[in-house]
Amino acid sequence: MDSGLILLVFLAFLFAWGLNRVRRALRLGPVAYAGVMVAFVIVMLAIWGQTFR
């Protein structure tokens, strides 16, 4: 497995944990939480895809 992909998975878990804490503080709904996570995944995949150019 690519070490960059492992790092991205770790960052995704760290981001999800942090976002969950922020979501409780700001009282965001599940739709907003899912939207932020989808945007994060798309951005991380785009950044990871740049390494293959």
Side-chain angles (χ1 to χ4, degrees), residues 23 26-35:
R23 181 179 67 97
L26 297 179
R27 292 185 172 86
L28 295 175
V31 175
Y33 181 75

Side-chain angles (χ1 to χ4, degrees), residues 3-43:
S3 61
L5 188 58
I6 294 170
L7 178 63
L8 285 179
V9 169
F10 172 73
L11 287 175
F13 279 119
L14 189 64
F15 181 76
W17 174 79
L19 183 62
N20 199 25
R21 294 180 64 90
V22 170
R23 181 179 67 97
R24 286 188 196 142
L26 297 179
R27 292 185 172 86
L28 295 175
V31 175
Y33 181 75
V36 172
M37 284 305 294
V38 167
F40 176 79
V41 167
I42 290 171
V43 169

Side-chain angles (χ1 to χ4, degrees), residues 45-53:
L45 286 174
I47 292 171
W48 180 64
Q50 292 295 315
T51 62
F52 293 116
R53 285 191 169 192

